Amino acid sequence: MASRFNALKADAAWQKLWEDRRTFAARDDSPRPKSYVLEMFPYPSGRIHMGHVRNYTMGDVLARFRRMTGYEVLHPMGWDAFGMPAENAAMEKGVHPGGWTRDNIATMKAQLKRLGFALDWTRELATCEPDYYGHEQALFLHLYAAGLVYRKESPVNWDPVDMTVLANEQVIDGRGWRSGALVEKRKLSQWFLKITDFADELLDGLQSLDQWPDKVKLMQENWIGKSRGMKIRFQVSDGQPVEVFSTRPDTIFGASFVAVAADHPIAQAAALRDPEAQAFIDRCKQGGTTAAEIETQEKLGYDAGATATHPFTGLPMPVFIANFVLMEYGTGAVMGVPAHDQRDLDFARKYQLPVRRVVADGEHRDPLFEGDEAYTGGGQLVNSDFLDDMDVDAAKAAVIARGEADGWGEGTTVWRLRDWGVSRQRYWGTPIPIIHCEDCGAVPVSQDQLPVVLPEDVSFDVPGNPLDRHPTWKHVDCPTCGKSARRETDTLDTFADSSWYFIRFASQPKDKPFDKDVVAQWLPVGQYIGGVEHAILHLLYARFWTRALKRTGLIDVAEPFTGLFTQGMVTHETYKSSDGRWLGPAEVQDGVEIATGEAITVGRVEKMSKSKKNTVDPGPIVDQYGADAVRWFMLSDSPPERDLPWSEAGIEGSWRFVQRLWRLFDGLAEQAGTEGSDKALDRKLHQTIAGIAADVEALAFNKAVAKLYELTGMIEKAAPSASRTQAIRTLMRLVAPMVPHIAEEAWAANGGDGLIADAPWPEVDAALLVEDEVTVAVQVNGKLRDTLTLPKGTAREDAEAAALASANVQRAMEGKPPRKVIVVPDRLVNIVA
RNA sequence: GCGGACGUGGCGAAACCGGUAGACGCAGCCGACUUAAAAUCGGCUUCCGAACAGGAGUGCGGGUUCGAGUCCCGCCGUCCGCACCA
């Protein structure tokens, strides 16, 4: 009688053995072809959550599968260990960010090991340690030397209570998310990385990424936001010319006003002489920036009291200060062409400005433009002097040519992408390796002084950046002139840390960030897996950083991630008590709140979150069901790119399947020596081998799982035979990437050679992939009436004859003669009567 | 507003190039084993229908085709991203 699979015992034993033998350590000098499988490394927030488990299980299956198919696999793990939560913990609990972070790493590492992931822990890294961020400082200085880093005054969100800069995401309704204080716009000197120098290549490079989701590529494309157009300078009645940016220079004869942003010099000048203009500007700045506010906000303008001169007609146009023009985009000024831009039309109707048609819409050619809907389509130019009868593109070119010849404008490209501001007034981050000297300015720390180590003796009892308050740390001598100087106390945005960690995984010498030749062996990452929330920032920064290192000669790869996969979230039902409190799964049983005995309401299935209390901690689940059952659940049912609803019933089902496998594996010895073959089972086995391989390569784990269920069911029902024995032995290897512990246990118990983790993927007998009999559907007028079992390759006439002979078919045809018969060989016969 | 994705049983889903819709799992129902329960095993499980008669059915309405979940046109809905981008 088969025993039960003791997951707890087996998990521990195999995990220890893999670790002792360094089974999953990647060898740089291996002769095998190399494969780099990477999941986005976690922030050490405290404990592993289900999202991590899902993410790392997917990567693990692929990594283990690649090993079995003959690759030397690099599958590393590390910690994105700098960031604000550590400082928040320091302020709330009085612990040191470093201690808090390192404790979390220890906890989470143990949790990851408990899941049996095939990770190369010899390459583990944490971005908060000097042996990582010191090399990052070296790379920063390398980019600085290459002219890709600069310093500039820039407006930031300043929280006056916490005395720190906040990221845009941390400003909620104009207030700091922690302090609740009204956030101020302050100008601070900030360090920037010149990502805009790479805008064109980052955009073009997307085209080569054919193993990335289109969605992510599109998001990056929109973020980079390339628009081609023209800068046009209009003479202004009193003062400097105003330069506008337009994507539609062809419509210039329809321009009837110029609008500038509230921060524009023209607006500022108007404010000096006109208090009402100042009042209007103040009103503009009050406006919120949330989606709803922008949606409802009225387009407002204030006549700046100046006029701009049209370059062709010489006619004057009013200049408005307008609340819808952004100083940050283009030139901070636009020309208004109401007939062919909706926003301009709204504005013109409101302030009774001329609206002149200059592009024919197919029906109308006259200058008079009626209605409140702008015509933004293409067509022939009209009412436009020398542009008349040209199409839009030709007219654009013509205006640009004239502007360039006459010196009042030029064709140009404007990007939405801004340079990357990397300064953070924070303690827990990579110190920016710069020294400020009164005489020499900003001076890079010399290479032999790296790393610039974060001091550990800091306090968090006062708001603000502890580095700035530290008694000694920032006082240093200028590396150039030796006079006393001041360290930069800002730290780097943590996105810098995650922009190159995948390179450091591939190669980690002590004396430099990485070795170019070793990196070349592993990069680019073949398959990168993580959440969509990183579709823009992290993935764009990592692409930029890689390209910057390539341009400056440190590496040879341009794109860091060949394949990208964005997995869905783990979700769970939500529960609310009768009085409207969120309840956790443990507080609920059979539709009733355990504590009160009152009925609960079951809400939507949502992303696991602490606020809705619908999280499930993987820790106790793994202890209860074993790592294999949890891994199996993570791969089952939902396609990996979609959300996966966690359920108690689901994990029970996975556990039952693990036990089913064990009954087959454990019973194998009893049938040793059984003779005879089972052709149908052989066929199913080989179809499954081929099918799983294809599914795993495509990351279609849910389909692979379904095929394994089918094969398992068929083996269970099959009579003992040599085929069945062979199928069970092969099944061990087929499930090994997904449920590695039980696979190792079964492999060892049945005399397998070495570790199953090192065993080769079973070979497919191609001859067994084809069936010799097929089921052919028989339709009459497109409706299914019968199915026939025919030898594969049956001739059309024979299939047709067999179909016509069917009693069901004859009944359906009601004695009518067949008018036409369509035969799709080995699939169907359709009789049109 | 712009851009994108997706709508299939009670639920998660599958269906490769237009060819038997609902594989596989969950939940449910019936049965076997058991003193009993659990575990396990067998069967059923899209809807209407007594039916292994027949009919309907992949968000809705049209179309192309011998044949449409799949292709085309028009709607409706859900989710995601961006957002006063000139």
Side-chain angles (χ1 to χ4, degrees), chain A residues 246-247 291 294 297 299 324 326 329 343 637-638 703 811 830:
Chain A
S246 172
T247 55
I294 289 166
Q297 208 169 11
K299 308 282 175 272
F324 62 85
L326 302 174
Y329 187 78
R343 207 184 30 202
D637 292 348
S638 287
K703 294 188 207 170
R811 179 151 34 90
N830 187 16

Short mmCIF file of all heavy atoms in Angstrom, two decimals, chain A residues 246-247 291 294 297 299 324 326 329 343 637-638 703 811 830, chain B residues 3 12 15 19-20 24 26 40 54-55 66 83-86:
data_model
loop_
_atom_site.label_atom_id
_atom_site.label_comp_id
_atom_site.label_asym_id
_atom_site.label_seq_id
_atom_site.Cartn_x
_atom_site.Cartn_y
_atom_site.Cartn_z
N SER A 246 4.60 73.86 -32.77
CA SER A 246 3.37 73.34 -33.36
C SER A 246 3.66 72.10 -34.18
O SER A 246 4.68 72.03 -34.88
CB SER A 246 2.74 74.40 -34.27
OG SER A 246 1.65 73.82 -34.97
N THR A 247 2.77 71.12 -34.08
CA THR A 247 2.89 69.94 -34.94
C THR A 247 2.14 70.18 -36.26
O THR A 247 2.17 69.33 -37.13
CB THR A 247 2.31 68.68 -34.27
OG1 THR A 247 0.96 68.95 -33.88
CG2 THR A 247 3.13 68.28 -33.06
N ALA A 291 -6.66 63.95 -12.59
CA ALA A 291 -7.40 63.69 -13.82
C ALA A 291 -8.75 64.39 -13.81
O ALA A 291 -9.13 65.07 -14.77
CB ALA A 291 -7.58 62.19 -13.99
N ILE A 294 -8.54 68.24 -14.17
CA ILE A 294 -8.21 68.70 -15.52
C ILE A 294 -9.42 68.56 -16.43
O ILE A 294 -9.72 69.42 -17.24
CB ILE A 294 -7.01 67.89 -16.06
CG1 ILE A 294 -5.76 68.31 -15.30
CG2 ILE A 294 -6.84 68.11 -17.54
CD1 ILE A 294 -4.60 67.40 -15.49
N GLN A 297 -11.84 71.34 -15.55
CA GLN A 297 -11.34 72.70 -15.50
C GLN A 297 -11.63 73.44 -16.81
O GLN A 297 -11.40 72.94 -17.89
CB GLN A 297 -9.84 72.67 -15.25
CG GLN A 297 -9.36 73.90 -14.54
CD GLN A 297 -7.92 73.73 -14.07
OE1 GLN A 297 -7.26 72.78 -14.45
NE2 GLN A 297 -7.47 74.63 -13.26
N LYS A 299 -11.14 76.14 -19.76
CA LYS A 299 -10.00 76.75 -20.43
C LYS A 299 -10.10 78.26 -20.21
O LYS A 299 -11.03 78.90 -20.69
CB LYS A 299 -10.04 76.46 -21.93
CG LYS A 299 -10.20 74.99 -22.26
CD LYS A 299 -8.90 74.22 -22.13
CE LYS A 299 -9.10 72.74 -22.34
NZ LYS A 299 -9.46 71.99 -21.13
N PHE A 324 -4.11 76.38 -19.85
CA PHE A 324 -3.93 75.03 -20.41
C PHE A 324 -2.58 74.85 -21.10
O PHE A 324 -2.31 73.79 -21.65
CB PHE A 324 -5.08 74.68 -21.36
CG PHE A 324 -5.18 75.57 -22.56
CD1 PHE A 324 -4.43 75.31 -23.70
CD2 PHE A 324 -6.04 76.67 -22.57
CE1 PHE A 324 -4.52 76.11 -24.81
CE2 PHE A 324 -6.13 77.49 -23.68
CZ PHE A 324 -5.37 77.21 -24.81
N LEU A 326 1.39 74.37 -20.94
CA LEU A 326 2.37 73.88 -19.96
C LEU A 326 3.74 74.44 -20.27
O LEU A 326 4.22 74.34 -21.39
CB LEU A 326 2.46 72.36 -20.03
CG LEU A 326 1.18 71.58 -19.80
CD1 LEU A 326 1.42 70.11 -20.06
CD2 LEU A 326 0.68 71.81 -18.39
N TYR A 329 6.39 71.66 -21.50
CA TYR A 329 6.34 70.96 -22.78
C TYR A 329 6.56 71.92 -23.92
O TYR A 329 6.01 73.03 -23.93
CB TYR A 329 5.01 70.23 -22.94
CG TYR A 329 4.98 69.36 -24.17
CD1 TYR A 329 5.61 68.13 -24.15
CD2 TYR A 329 4.37 69.79 -25.33
CE1 TYR A 329 5.62 67.34 -25.28
CE2 TYR A 329 4.38 69.00 -26.47
CZ TYR A 329 5.01 67.78 -26.43
OH TYR A 329 5.03 66.99 -27.56
N ARG A 343 -9.08 72.24 -28.66
CA ARG A 343 -8.86 73.09 -27.50
C ARG A 343 -8.82 74.57 -27.90
O ARG A 343 -9.39 75.44 -27.26
CB ARG A 343 -7.55 72.69 -26.83
CG ARG A 343 -7.46 72.96 -25.37
CD ARG A 343 -6.08 72.59 -24.94
NE ARG A 343 -5.17 72.79 -26.07
CZ ARG A 343 -4.01 72.22 -26.20
NH1 ARG A 343 -3.59 71.37 -25.29
NH2 ARG A 343 -3.24 72.47 -27.23
N ASP A 637 -4.47 26.65 -13.76
CA ASP A 637 -5.71 27.37 -14.07
C ASP A 637 -5.54 28.68 -14.82
O ASP A 637 -5.80 28.74 -16.00
CB ASP A 637 -6.55 27.60 -12.82
CG ASP A 637 -7.11 26.29 -12.28
OD1 ASP A 637 -7.02 25.28 -13.00
OD2 ASP A 637 -7.61 26.27 -11.15
N SER A 638 -5.13 29.74 -14.13
CA SER A 638 -5.11 31.04 -14.82
C SER A 638 -3.89 31.16 -15.72
O SER A 638 -2.80 30.77 -15.33
CB SER A 638 -5.09 32.16 -13.80
OG SER A 638 -6.33 32.28 -13.18
N LYS A 703 -1.51 25.58 -19.42
CA LYS A 703 -1.76 24.53 -20.41
C LYS A 703 -0.91 23.30 -20.12
O LYS A 703 -1.37 22.17 -20.27
CB LYS A 703 -1.45 25.04 -21.81
CG LYS A 703 -2.38 26.15 -22.26
CD LYS A 703 -2.13 26.44 -23.73
CE LYS A 703 -2.49 27.88 -24.06
NZ LYS A 703 -2.03 28.23 -25.40
N ARG A 811 -30.81 10.77 -42.15
CA ARG A 811 -32.02 11.31 -41.51
C ARG A 811 -32.03 12.84 -41.64
O ARG A 811 -33.03 13.45 -41.98
CB ARG A 811 -32.05 10.89 -40.04
CG ARG A 811 -33.23 11.42 -39.28
CD ARG A 811 -33.62 10.47 -38.13
NE ARG A 811 -32.47 9.80 -37.51
CZ ARG A 811 -31.79 10.29 -36.48
NH1 ARG A 811 -32.12 11.45 -35.97
NH2 ARG A 811 -30.79 9.61 -35.97
N ASN A 830 -18.43 18.09 -44.63
CA ASN A 830 -19.64 18.91 -44.54
C ASN A 830 -20.45 18.71 -45.80
O ASN A 830 -19.98 18.95 -46.90
CB ASN A 830 -19.27 20.39 -44.34
CG ASN A 830 -20.49 21.25 -44.07
OD1 ASN A 830 -21.56 20.72 -43.72
ND2 ASN A 830 -20.35 22.55 -44.24
P G B 3 -7.34 57.12 -30.24
OP1 G B 3 -7.09 57.04 -31.69
OP2 G B 3 -8.69 56.81 -29.70
"O5'" G B 3 -6.29 56.19 -29.49
"C5'" G B 3 -4.91 56.28 -29.80
"C4'" G B 3 -4.11 55.45 -28.84
"O4'" G B 3 -4.30 55.94 -27.49
"C3'" G B 3 -4.53 53.99 -28.73
"O3'" G B 3 -4.08 53.21 -29.82
"C2'" G B 3 -3.89 53.60 -27.40
"O2'" G B 3 -2.49 53.46 -27.54
"C1'" G B 3 -4.18 54.86 -26.58
N9 G B 3 -5.45 54.70 -25.84
C8 G B 3 -6.68 55.24 -26.13
N7 G B 3 -7.60 54.89 -25.26
C5 G B 3 -6.93 54.07 -24.36
C6 G B 3 -7.41 53.41 -23.19
O6 G B 3 -8.54 53.40 -22.73
N1 G B 3 -6.39 52.68 -22.57
C2 G B 3 -5.10 52.62 -23.01
N2 G B 3 -4.26 51.86 -22.28
N3 G B 3 -4.64 53.23 -24.08
C4 G B 3 -5.61 53.95 -24.70
P G B 12 -14.53 33.35 -13.67
OP1 G B 12 -14.19 34.78 -13.64
OP2 G B 12 -15.30 32.80 -14.81
"O5'" G B 12 -13.20 32.50 -13.54
"C5'" G B 12 -12.24 32.83 -12.54
"C4'" G B 12 -11.05 31.93 -12.67
"O4'" G B 12 -11.42 30.56 -12.38
"C3'" G B 12 -10.45 31.83 -14.07
"O3'" G B 12 -9.66 32.96 -14.38
"C2'" G B 12 -9.65 30.54 -13.96
"O2'" G B 12 -8.47 30.74 -13.20
"C1'" G B 12 -10.61 29.67 -13.13
N9 G B 12 -11.47 28.89 -14.03
C8 G B 12 -12.72 29.21 -14.47
N7 G B 12 -13.22 28.32 -15.29
C5 G B 12 -12.24 27.36 -15.40
C6 G B 12 -12.20 26.15 -16.14
O6 G B 12 -13.07 25.69 -16.87
N1 G B 12 -10.99 25.47 -15.97
C2 G B 12 -9.96 25.89 -15.17
N2 G B 12 -8.89 25.11 -15.14
N3 G B 12 -9.98 27.02 -14.47
C4 G B 12 -11.14 27.69 -14.63
P A B 15 -5.74 27.35 -26.03
OP1 A B 15 -4.38 26.99 -26.45
OP2 A B 15 -6.10 28.77 -25.78
"O5'" A B 15 -6.78 26.78 -27.08
"C5'" A B 15 -6.62 25.47 -27.59
"C4'" A B 15 -7.81 25.11 -28.43
"O4'" A B 15 -9.00 25.08 -27.60
"C3'" A B 15 -8.17 26.11 -29.53
"O3'" A B 15 -7.34 25.96 -30.66
"C2'" A B 15 -9.62 25.75 -29.79
"O2'" A B 15 -9.72 24.56 -30.54
"C1'" A B 15 -10.12 25.49 -28.37
N9 A B 15 -10.68 26.72 -27.79
C8 A B 15 -10.05 27.65 -27.01
N7 A B 15 -10.83 28.66 -26.66
C5 A B 15 -12.05 28.35 -27.26
C6 A B 15 -13.29 29.00 -27.28
N6 A B 15 -13.52 30.15 -26.64
N1 A B 15 -14.30 28.43 -27.97
C2 A B 15 -14.07 27.28 -28.61
N3 A B 15 -12.94 26.56 -28.66
C4 A B 15 -11.97 27.16 -27.96
P G B 19 -10.27 26.52 -37.43
OP1 G B 19 -10.31 27.09 -36.07
OP2 G B 19 -9.01 26.06 -38.00
"O5'" G B 19 -11.32 25.33 -37.50
"C5'" G B 19 -12.64 25.53 -36.99
"C4'" G B 19 -13.45 24.30 -37.26
"O4'" G B 19 -13.86 24.26 -38.64
"C3'" G B 19 -12.71 23.01 -36.99
"O3'" G B 19 -13.65 22.05 -36.54
"C2'" G B 19 -12.21 22.61 -38.39
"O2'" G B 19 -12.03 21.23 -38.52
"C1'" G B 19 -13.38 23.07 -39.26
N9 G B 19 -13.03 23.43 -40.62
C8 G B 19 -11.81 23.79 -41.11
N7 G B 19 -11.83 24.10 -42.38
C5 G B 19 -13.16 23.93 -42.74
C6 G B 19 -13.80 24.12 -43.98
O6 G B 19 -13.31 24.51 -45.03
N1 G B 19 -15.16 23.84 -43.89
C2 G B 19 -15.81 23.42 -42.78
N2 G B 19 -17.10 23.20 -42.90
N3 G B 19 -15.23 23.24 -41.61
C4 G B 19 -13.91 23.52 -41.67
P U B 20 -13.86 21.86 -34.96
OP1 U B 20 -14.50 23.06 -34.40
OP2 U B 20 -12.59 21.36 -34.41
"O5'" U B 20 -14.89 20.68 -34.97
"C5'" U B 20 -16.19 20.84 -35.55
"C4'" U B 20 -17.18 20.15 -34.67
"O4'" U B 20 -16.84 18.74 -34.61
"C3'" U B 20 -17.21 20.63 -33.23
"O3'" U B 20 -18.55 20.60 -32.76
"C2'" U B 20 -16.36 19.61 -32.49
"O2'" U B 20 -16.71 19.47 -31.13
"C1'" U B 20 -16.73 18.35 -33.27
N1 U B 20 -15.68 17.33 -33.18
C2 U B 20 -15.97 16.20 -32.47
O2 U B 20 -17.06 16.02 -31.93
N3 U B 20 -14.95 15.29 -32.39
C4 U B 20 -13.72 15.40 -32.94
O4 U B 20 -12.89 14.50 -32.80
C5 U B 20 -13.46 16.62 -33.66
C6 U B 20 -14.44 17.53 -33.74
P C B 24 -11.13 16.37 -19.51
OP1 C B 24 -10.70 14.96 -19.42
OP2 C B 24 -12.50 16.77 -19.11
"O5'" C B 24 -10.11 17.29 -18.71
"C5'" C B 24 -8.71 17.00 -18.70
"C4'" C B 24 -7.98 18.05 -17.91
"O4'" C B 24 -8.05 19.33 -18.60
"C3'" C B 24 -8.57 18.37 -16.54
"O3'" C B 24 -8.23 17.42 -15.56
"C2'" C B 24 -7.97 19.74 -16.27
"O2'" C B 24 -6.60 19.64 -15.97
"C1'" C B 24 -8.12 20.39 -17.65
N1 C B 24 -9.43 21.06 -17.77
C2 C B 24 -9.57 22.34 -17.23
O2 C B 24 -8.60 22.87 -16.67
N3 C B 24 -10.77 22.97 -17.32
C4 C B 24 -11.80 22.35 -17.91
N4 C B 24 -12.96 23.00 -17.98
C5 C B 24 -11.68 21.05 -18.47
C6 C B 24 -10.49 20.45 -18.39
P C B 26 -9.87 19.37 -8.89
OP1 C B 26 -9.15 18.89 -7.70
OP2 C B 26 -10.84 18.51 -9.59
"O5'" C B 26 -10.61 20.73 -8.53
"C5'" C B 26 -9.96 21.70 -7.71
"C4'" C B 26 -10.85 22.90 -7.53
"O4'" C B 26 -11.20 23.47 -8.82
"C3'" C B 26 -12.22 22.63 -6.91
"O3'" C B 26 -12.14 22.45 -5.51
"C2'" C B 26 -12.96 23.90 -7.29
"O2'" C B 26 -12.55 24.99 -6.50
"C1'" C B 26 -12.46 24.11 -8.72
N1 C B 26 -13.40 23.54 -9.71
C2 C B 26 -14.58 24.23 -9.97
O2 C B 26 -14.80 25.29 -9.37
N3 C B 26 -15.46 23.73 -10.86
C4 C B 26 -15.20 22.59 -11.48
N4 C B 26 -16.10 22.13 -12.36
C5 C B 26 -14.00 21.85 -11.24
C6 C B 26 -13.12 22.36 -10.35
P U B 40 -8.51 12.23 -1.80
OP1 U B 40 -7.42 12.90 -2.51
OP2 U B 40 -9.87 12.81 -1.79
"O5'" U B 40 -8.64 10.74 -2.33
"C5'" U B 40 -7.49 9.92 -2.46
"C4'" U B 40 -7.90 8.51 -2.78
"O4'" U B 40 -8.77 8.00 -1.72
"C3'" U B 40 -8.74 8.34 -4.04
"O3'" U B 40 -7.95 8.34 -5.21
"C2'" U B 40 -9.42 7.00 -3.78
"O2'" U B 40 -8.52 5.93 -3.97
"C1'" U B 40 -9.73 7.12 -2.27
N1 U B 40 -11.08 7.66 -2.03
C2 U B 40 -12.16 6.80 -2.15
O2 U B 40 -12.05 5.63 -2.47
N3 U B 40 -13.39 7.36 -1.91
C4 U B 40 -13.65 8.66 -1.55
O4 U B 40 -14.81 9.02 -1.36
C5 U B 40 -12.48 9.50 -1.44
C6 U B 40 -11.27 8.98 -1.68
P G B 54 -31.46 13.96 -33.02
OP1 G B 54 -31.02 13.76 -34.41
OP2 G B 54 -30.50 13.84 -31.92
"O5'" G B 54 -32.14 15.39 -32.92
"C5'" G B 54 -33.19 15.75 -33.82
"C4'" G B 54 -34.02 16.87 -33.24
"O4'" G B 54 -34.40 16.54 -31.87
"C3'" G B 54 -33.31 18.20 -33.09
"O3'" G B 54 -33.23 18.90 -34.32
"C2'" G B 54 -34.20 18.90 -32.07
"O2'" G B 54 -35.40 19.35 -32.65
"C1'" G B 54 -34.51 17.73 -31.11
N9 G B 54 -33.54 17.69 -30.01
C8 G B 54 -32.48 16.82 -29.85
N7 G B 54 -31.79 17.04 -28.77
C5 G B 54 -32.42 18.12 -28.17
C6 G B 54 -32.13 18.82 -26.97
O6 G B 54 -31.21 18.61 -26.17
N1 G B 54 -33.02 19.86 -26.75
C2 G B 54 -34.07 20.19 -27.57
N2 G B 54 -34.81 21.22 -27.18
N3 G B 54 -34.35 19.55 -28.69
C4 G B 54 -33.50 18.54 -28.93
P G B 55 -32.00 19.82 -34.59
OP1 G B 55 -32.12 20.28 -35.99
OP2 G B 55 -30.79 19.13 -34.14
"O5'" G B 55 -32.25 21.07 -33.62
"C5'" G B 55 -33.38 21.92 -33.86
"C4'" G B 55 -33.63 22.80 -32.67
"O4'" G B 55 -33.72 22.00 -31.47
"C3'" G B 55 -32.52 23.79 -32.33
"O3'" G B 55 -32.52 24.91 -33.20
"C2'" G B 55 -32.91 24.16 -30.90
"O2'" G B 55 -34.03 25.01 -30.88
"C1'" G B 55 -33.32 22.79 -30.36
N9 G B 55 -32.17 22.14 -29.69
C8 G B 55 -31.42 21.08 -30.13
N7 G B 55 -30.47 20.74 -29.29
C5 G B 55 -30.60 21.65 -28.24
C6 G B 55 -29.85 21.80 -27.04
O6 G B 55 -28.89 21.14 -26.65
N1 G B 55 -30.31 22.86 -26.28
C2 G B 55 -31.37 23.67 -26.61
N2 G B 55 -31.67 24.63 -25.75
N3 G B 55 -32.08 23.55 -27.71
C4 G B 55 -31.64 22.52 -28.48
P C B 66 -19.90 29.67 -49.83
OP1 C B 66 -19.34 29.03 -51.03
OP2 C B 66 -21.00 30.67 -49.93
"O5'" C B 66 -20.37 28.55 -48.81
"C5'" C B 66 -21.58 27.85 -49.05
"C4'" C B 66 -21.68 26.70 -48.06
"O4'" C B 66 -20.66 25.72 -48.37
"C3'" C B 66 -21.39 27.08 -46.62
"O3'" C B 66 -22.53 27.62 -45.99
"C2'" C B 66 -20.97 25.74 -46.03
"O2'" C B 66 -22.08 24.92 -45.76
"C1'" C B 66 -20.17 25.14 -47.18
N1 C B 66 -18.72 25.41 -47.10
C2 C B 66 -17.95 24.74 -46.14
O2 C B 66 -18.51 23.97 -45.36
N3 C B 66 -16.64 24.97 -46.06
C4 C B 66 -16.06 25.83 -46.92
N4 C B 66 -14.76 26.02 -46.81
C5 C B 66 -16.81 26.52 -47.90
C6 C B 66 -18.13 26.29 -47.97
P A B 83 0.84 61.10 -17.25
OP1 A B 83 2.09 61.87 -17.10
OP2 A B 83 0.23 60.41 -16.10
"O5'" A B 83 -0.28 62.06 -17.85
"C5'" A B 83 0.05 62.90 -18.93
"C4'" A B 83 -1.20 63.33 -19.63
"O4'" A B 83 -2.15 62.24 -19.69
"C3'" A B 83 -2.00 64.41 -18.95
"O3'" A B 83 -1.40 65.67 -19.21
"C2'" A B 83 -3.37 64.27 -19.62
"O2'" A B 83 -3.38 64.88 -20.89
"C1'" A B 83 -3.46 62.77 -19.81
N9 A B 83 -4.33 62.13 -18.83
C8 A B 83 -3.99 61.32 -17.77
N7 A B 83 -5.02 60.91 -17.07
C5 A B 83 -6.11 61.49 -17.72
C6 A B 83 -7.49 61.45 -17.48
N6 A B 83 -8.03 60.77 -16.48
N1 A B 83 -8.29 62.15 -18.32
C2 A B 83 -7.73 62.83 -19.32
N3 A B 83 -6.45 62.94 -19.65
C4 A B 83 -5.69 62.25 -18.80
P C B 84 -1.93 66.93 -18.42
OP1 C B 84 -0.84 67.65 -17.82
OP2 C B 84 -3.08 66.44 -17.61
"O5'" C B 84 -2.52 67.75 -19.64
"C5'" C B 84 -3.50 67.19 -20.48
"C4'" C B 84 -4.16 68.25 -21.33
"O4'" C B 84 -4.93 69.10 -20.45
"C3'" C B 84 -3.15 69.12 -22.07
"O3'" C B 84 -3.61 69.36 -23.39
"C2'" C B 84 -3.17 70.42 -21.28
"O2'" C B 84 -2.97 71.54 -22.11
"C1'" C B 84 -4.61 70.45 -20.76
N1 C B 84 -4.77 71.21 -19.54
C2 C B 84 -5.88 72.06 -19.46
O2 C B 84 -6.66 72.12 -20.42
N3 C B 84 -6.06 72.79 -18.34
C4 C B 84 -5.18 72.68 -17.33
N4 C B 84 -5.39 73.40 -16.26
C5 C B 84 -4.05 71.81 -17.40
C6 C B 84 -3.89 71.11 -18.52
P C B 85 -3.41 68.18 -24.49
OP1 C B 85 -4.05 68.69 -25.72
OP2 C B 85 -3.74 66.85 -23.95
"O5'" C B 85 -1.83 68.21 -24.68
"C5'" C B 85 -1.24 69.09 -25.65
"C4'" C B 85 -0.03 68.40 -26.24
"O4'" C B 85 1.01 68.42 -25.26
"C3'" C B 85 -0.32 66.92 -26.55
"O3'" C B 85 -0.37 66.60 -27.94
"C2'" C B 85 0.64 66.10 -25.66
"O2'" C B 85 1.37 65.14 -26.39
"C1'" C B 85 1.56 67.15 -25.04
N1 C B 85 1.67 66.92 -23.59
C2 C B 85 2.84 66.36 -23.05
O2 C B 85 3.76 66.08 -23.82
N3 C B 85 2.93 66.17 -21.73
C4 C B 85 1.90 66.48 -20.94
N4 C B 85 2.03 66.28 -19.63
C5 C B 85 0.72 67.04 -21.45
C6 C B 85 0.63 67.24 -22.77
P A B 86 0.48 66.82 -29.07
OP1 A B 86 0.16 65.91 -30.16
OP2 A B 86 1.83 66.95 -28.55
"O5'" A B 86 -0.06 68.23 -29.55
"C5'" A B 86 0.77 69.05 -30.33
"C4'" A B 86 0.22 70.44 -30.29
"O4'" A B 86 -0.08 70.79 -28.93
"C3'" A B 86 1.19 71.51 -30.76
"O3'" A B 86 1.19 71.63 -32.16
"C2'" A B 86 0.66 72.76 -30.07
"O2'" A B 86 -0.45 73.26 -30.78
"C1'" A B 86 0.19 72.17 -28.74
N9 A B 86 1.22 72.34 -27.68
C8 A B 86 2.57 72.17 -27.78
N7 A B 86 3.22 72.40 -26.67
C5 A B 86 2.22 72.75 -25.78
C6 A B 86 2.25 73.12 -24.42
N6 A B 86 3.37 73.20 -23.71
N1 A B 86 1.10 73.41 -23.83
C2 A B 86 -0.01 73.33 -24.53
N3 A B 86 -0.19 72.99 -25.82
C4 A B 86 0.99 72.71 -26.39
#
